[in-house]
Amino acid sequence: MVRKNICVFCGASSGSKPDFRILAKKIGKLIGENNFNLVYGAGSTGLMGACAKSAIQSGAKVFGVMPNFLARVEKPLDDINVKFTSTMRTRKSIMYKKASLFIILPGGIGTLDECIEVLTLIQLKQIKEKKIIIFNYKNYWDFLIKLLEKMKKEKFMNDNFYSDLIELNDLNKLETLLKSF
């Protein structure tokens, strides 16, 4: 059986709440236990590292993509398949192509950038037949969800755009979705 790849975008730091790290570990575990592989930014720290380590422990193969300049300041996780790139743009392009599904966890401006770029490419039909899950843990992404709803209301987004966007905040619902994927 060929495993599908889930791309997770999340923080390279752990954030202000220990719950964020616990969430990242649970997501990694769900990925591995449900026979998926993980594609992510290759980091060993923060939510990225926690998710990847948990995915590995739960049986997933992990593929990281990191630009050369970032590898000089941020150590990639050991014991994963890492692809080094010359630019962030190339990094993201590889991740988008490898992914069958995207999950957005709490993170900073880089996570927001990756989320918005995936949403843009879905709307422009450059990414096709791939869902993006914004995991709105403890309402972390409320501001983004409200902004997207306003864009739709004001007719700056297609009505059918939401068919590829899923907002979740419950791990049981995420697991049910993964089992049906």
Side-chain angles (χ1 to χ4, degrees):
M1 174 179 162
V2 176
R3 289 180 174 223
K4 291 183 178 177
N5 296 321
I6 295 178
C7 181
V8 174
F9 295 123
C10 58
S13 70
S14 293
S16 63
K17 297 178 174 76
D19 287 357
F20 292 144
R21 190 171 184 81
I22 293 166
L23 171 68
K25 287 179 179 179
K26 288 180 179 178
I27 297 290
K29 184 177 180 183
L30 281 176
I31 289 169
E33 287 180 346
N34 287 282
N35 297 313
F36 290 95
N37 291 322
L38 173 67
V39 175
Y40 84 119
S44 60
T45 61
L47 302 187
M48 280 201 291
C51 183
K53 289 171 191 171
S54 181
I56 291 166
Q57 291 169 352
S58 300
K61 290 185 179 171
V62 175
F63 184 81
V65 188
M66 182 177 276
N68 293 317
F69 77 88
L70 199 53
R72 290 191 285 274
V73 294
E74 184 179 321
K75 183 183 179 321
L77 190 63
D78 292 330
D79 301 324
I80 63 168
N81 184 352
V82 181
K83 168 79 174 164
F84 292 99
T85 65
S86 58
T87 66
M88 287 292 281
R89 173 135 335 268
T90 304
R91 172 200 206 185
K92 292 189 289 185
S93 177
I94 291 168
M95 294 168 80
Y96 302 161
K97 286 176 185 160
K98 285 192 161 294
S100 300
L101 173 75
F102 301 92
I103 299 177
I104 312 300
L105 300 181
I109 196 76
T111 304
L112 180 60
D113 168 64
E114 291 157 338
C115 176
I116 294 299
E117 188 167 331
V118 168
L119 291 170
T120 301
L121 293 172
I122 287 172
Q123 183 169 334
L124 296 173
K125 299 188 183 347
Q126 298 303 298
I127 292 178
K128 298 174 186 166
E129 299 176 18
K130 295 182 183 185
K131 304 286 185 194
I132 181 169
I133 298 168
I134 297 177
F135 201 88
N136 196 14
Y137 183 70
K138 293 192 174 182
N139 305 312
Y140 184 83
W141 292 112
D142 272 0
F143 77 94
L144 177 60
I145 300 299
K146 287 183 173 114
L147 178 59
L148 293 171
E149 288 170 355
K150 180 162 180 65
M151 289 174 174
K152 181 180 175 188
K153 180 183 173 197
E154 299 293 340
K155 305 292 184 201
F156 287 106
M157 282 181 19
N158 252 318
D159 285 342
N160 63 0
F161 175 77
Y162 275 87
S163 65
D164 293 317
L165 172 62
I166 301 166
E167 178 193 359
L168 291 176
N169 59 12
D170 180 291
L171 286 168
N172 292 325
K173 289 181 181 173
L174 176 60
E175 184 168 22
T176 299
L177 188 144
L178 293 179
K179 286 182 180 200
S180 71
F181 185 69

